[in-house]
């Protein structure tokens, strides 16, 4: 579930799946992202990825095993997609060549999905390998396929294995990545910044921009929802 950019490596995941006969015997693959029709995109990079995706589907004859869903803008529907895959005891794979943070990783984990995510970037910090998910190296697709095969084969032998990784992911998110925890850290950062500015009398441009972004994206709308005080004397 991502943009159809080269760095997101969606076609890399499809190729990895197509080449692995063992993985194809165990599970189907669902990809969510981009346009399916090349005539609907004007981005050269996305056009190349769309064409590559169609070529891979033909090359590996994945009819009946692979479903490509166009990018979804409805957040509720996205949440239902995560839940549907979780209800069928599936897994989520984030195969990006590099990912700064990994919002879809957090979304998948909080939906209870065992998550396999790139070891390059933010997801490497979010996931504890083998406990709350798994790290995969997109530059070694054979190893990624083997890790997925091992997981699903173990789940077949012991269904509790799926639940253990699912529970580990949920625990990790609730311990580290809730809005409550984030806001507390932000308040701590604000306090440190205020003290630092007081003693140094210098501007910290990056932190100020960050706080402004957080206010615009999160708190500005919340402020509007607070009812105004009413003077009871009138």
């Amino acid at each position: 579930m991502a943009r159809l950019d080269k760095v997101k490596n969606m076609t890399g995941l499809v190729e990895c799946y197509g080449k692995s006969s063992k993985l194809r015997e165990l599970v189907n693959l669902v990809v969510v992202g981009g346009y399916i029709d090349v005539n609907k995109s004007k981005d050269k990079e996305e056009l190349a990825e769309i064409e590559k995706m169609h070529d891979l589907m033909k090359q590996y004859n994945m009819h009946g095993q692979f479903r490509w869903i166009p990018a979804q803008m409805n957040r509720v529907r996205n949440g239902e997609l995560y839940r549907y895959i979780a209800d069928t005891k599936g897994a989520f794979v984030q195969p990006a060549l590099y990912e700064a943070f990994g919002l879809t990783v957090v979304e998948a984990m909080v939906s209870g999905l065992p998550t396999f995510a790139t070891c390059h970037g933010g997801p490497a910090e979010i996931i504890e390998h083998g406990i709350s998910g798994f790290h995969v190296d997109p530059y070694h697709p054979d190893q990624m396929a083997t890790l997925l095969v091992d997981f699903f084969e173990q789940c077949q032998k012991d269904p509790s294995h799926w639940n253990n990784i699912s529970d580990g992911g949920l625990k990790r998110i609730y311990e580290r990545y809730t809005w409550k925890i984030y806001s507390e850290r932000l308040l701590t950062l604000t306090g440190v910044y205020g003290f630092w500015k007081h003693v140094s009398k210098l501007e910290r441009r990056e932190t100020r921009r960050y706080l402004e972004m957080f206010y615009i994206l999160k708190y500005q709308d919340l402020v509007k929802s607070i009812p105004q005080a009413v003077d009871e004397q009138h």
Side-chain angles (χ1 to χ4, degrees):
M1 183 179 286
R3 299 187 310 273
L4 213 59
D5 297 337
K6 189 174 182 180
V7 71
K8 295 296 184 180
N9 196 34
M10 301 284 273
T11 52
L13 174 61
V14 174
E15 187 169 14
C16 170
Y17 175 80
K19 286 181 176 180
S20 176
S21 57
K22 287 186 178 180
L23 188 57
R24 293 174 66 170
E25 289 173 5
L26 290 164
V27 290
N28 296 323
L29 175 64
V30 178
V31 166
V32 183
Y35 294 105
I36 296 176
D37 187 350
V38 291
N39 296 318
K40 291 186 177 180
S41 177
K42 296 181 180 179
D43 184 271
K44 289 184 178 180
E45 183 175 317
E46 185 177 32
L47 284 170
E49 289 296 292
I50 293 172
E51 291 175 354
K52 184 177 179 180
M53 191 82 84
H54 284 291
D55 290 341
L56 290 170
M57 292 165 63
K58 294 176 183 177
Q59 180 181 349
Y60 294 104
N61 189 25
M62 290 187 285
H63 179 71
Q65 294 183 302
F66 172 61
R67 175 61 59 86
W68 180 9
I69 302 173
Q72 302 295 308
M73 298 297 110
N74 187 308
R75 291 185 178 182
V76 174
R77 185 177 297 169
N78 283 340
E80 289 300 313
L81 286 168
Y82 286 121
R83 283 304 318 156
Y84 180 80
I85 302 298
D87 289 343
T88 56
K89 301 297 181 182
F92 179 79
V93 184
Q94 205 276 28
L97 301 177
Y98 178 81
E99 185 68 39
F101 175 67
L103 182 59
T104 56
V105 171
V106 174
E107 291 174 346
M109 291 170 70
V110 83
S111 298
L113 271 170
T115 300
F116 296 72
T118 179
C119 61
H120 301 293
E125 180 182 341
I126 298 171
I127 291 174
E128 301 165 291
H129 185 74
I131 300 173
S132 54
F134 301 92
H135 299 150
V136 296
D137 189 341
Y139 294 98
H140 295 87
D142 291 344
Q143 294 177 11
M144 180 164 60
T146 299
L147 192 63
L148 285 161
V149 167
D150 290 345
F151 171 75
F152 284 111
E153 285 184 338
Q154 191 167 346
C155 288
Q156 283 187 341
K157 296 175 184 177
D158 178 13
S160 66
H161 182 59
W162 190 96
N163 294 323
N164 291 338
I165 300 299
S166 173
D167 292 343
L170 287 166
K171 182 181 178 183
R172 179 69 170 173
I173 296 301
Y174 291 138
E175 286 180 348
R176 297 288 298 273
Y177 296 100
T178 65
W179 274 114
K180 182 177 183 297
I181 294 171
Y182 187 75
S183 61
E184 288 173 351
R185 288 180 179 175
L186 182 65
L187 289 173
T188 300
L189 174 64
T190 305
V192 171
Y193 167 68
F195 175 77
W196 181 87
K197 183 179 179 181
H198 175 74
V199 297
S200 65
K201 295 182 181 180
L202 295 173
E203 293 292 331
R204 193 170 183 178
R205 186 179 305 169
E206 292 80 8
T207 306
R208 187 174 70 254
R209 287 177 178 171
Y210 177 76
L211 294 174
E212 288 173 352
M213 177 199 72
F214 190 78
Y215 170 77
I216 293 169
L217 293 178
K218 190 68 182 172
Y219 281 104
Q220 196 170 41
D221 290 337
L222 290 176
V223 170
K224 295 177 183 178
S225 66
I226 299 175
Q228 294 184 356
V230 178
D231 190 344
E232 296 181 354
Q233 294 181 353
H234 298 285

